[in-house]
Amino acid sequence: MALVRPRFSKTELTDINERLEAVTTKDVLNWVELTFGRSAAQISSFGLEDQALFHIYWTVTKDARLITLDTLRLPTETYSLFDQTKLRYGVDVEFFYPQLNSVSEMVKEHGNNLFYKGRYNRELCCGVRKVEPLGRALSDLGAWITGLRRDQGMDRGSINIVEWDQAHNNYKVNPLANWKFDEVRDFIDANDIPYNELHDKGYPSLGCAPCTRAITPGEDIRAGRWWWETDSNAKECGIHIVEPAKR
Ligand code: SF4
């Protein structure tokens, strides 16, 4: 596959963002398709936003690429959703797995459930099971598409639709940046899009089974992630915490 890595100047990127802020999500994905073609891919955790986003991407191009990181610790419901999504869209989901020798060494030294034993251990596990596989997945891409929304809080409040991702030497595209949670939910329902049944059981944000719990009404939507950690700034796994340089 020909790798397309266009580089925009800071001024060009500002212009692109101004233009894309004024168009529909489908138009944003059309721009991605025209600009990057098959060197773009959606990196999906199969959460609600990702399911809504892939539905739109698939309407833009039936060649839409869908990549996910299987940490080998996901809930059963998420594995079921992988299969439902493949059936619905006929998409060949690209799975990236942790390196088994790294998992083996980590577990041997720290135990299977090391993440409960402090933030260092939790970040070690996320590094082995998520961050390293993500780096492998992104190394071949000109652009990665995410389901991030600005109203998810933390660093996400300041995301642009298109950002230069210095860490991964490619572009990061956030077509749902302006969406609200209720819009995502309504879009899923209106289009009968398959979604993770755990969302109906109090799980607005989904990740690995041992590190995700249901939340109660009024709690922050990320409160169910690594709930035993008290630092609210720690509610990221390392995939989205690198602030991309705005080129
Ligand atoms: S979310 Fe939990 S199980 Fe999953 S990679 Fe991070 S620490 Fe490991």
Side-chain angles (χ1 to χ4, degrees), residues 52-150:
L53 179 58
F54 186 73
H55 181 89
I56 304 170
Y57 195 16
W58 179 80
T59 63
V60 167
T61 171
K62 299 295 181 282
D63 282 336
R65 291 177 64 192
L66 185 59
I67 292 176
T68 196
L69 311 176
D70 180 355
T71 64
L72 310 177
R73 296 296 299 258
L74 299 175
T76 301
E77 291 84 350
T78 302
Y79 290 106
S80 297
L81 184 59
F82 290 160
D83 293 341
Q84 292 166 23
T85 303
K86 286 165 73 174
L87 265 180
R88 167 71 182 268
Y89 299 103
V91 58
D92 187 12
V93 181
E94 300 171 49
F95 293 97
F96 280 76
Y97 300 95
Q99 294 186 331
L100 288 182
N101 60 335
S102 299
V103 173
S104 173
E105 284 173 18
M106 177 179 71
V107 167
K108 188 175 176 185
E109 186 169 355
H110 300 284
N112 276 293
N113 291 334
L114 70 160
F115 26 79
Y116 296 135
K117 294 188 282 190
R119 186 168 167 185
Y120 169 83
N121 284 305
R122 195 269 288 173
E123 289 180 345
L124 174 66
C125 186
C126 284
V128 167
R129 294 183 188 272
K130 292 183 177 179
V131 178
E132 189 282 329
L134 177 72
R136 254 186 289 132
L138 296 184
S139 66
D140 197 29
L141 297 181
W144 58 305
I145 306 165
T146 85
L148 295 185
R149 293 183 296 107
R150 290 187 182 120

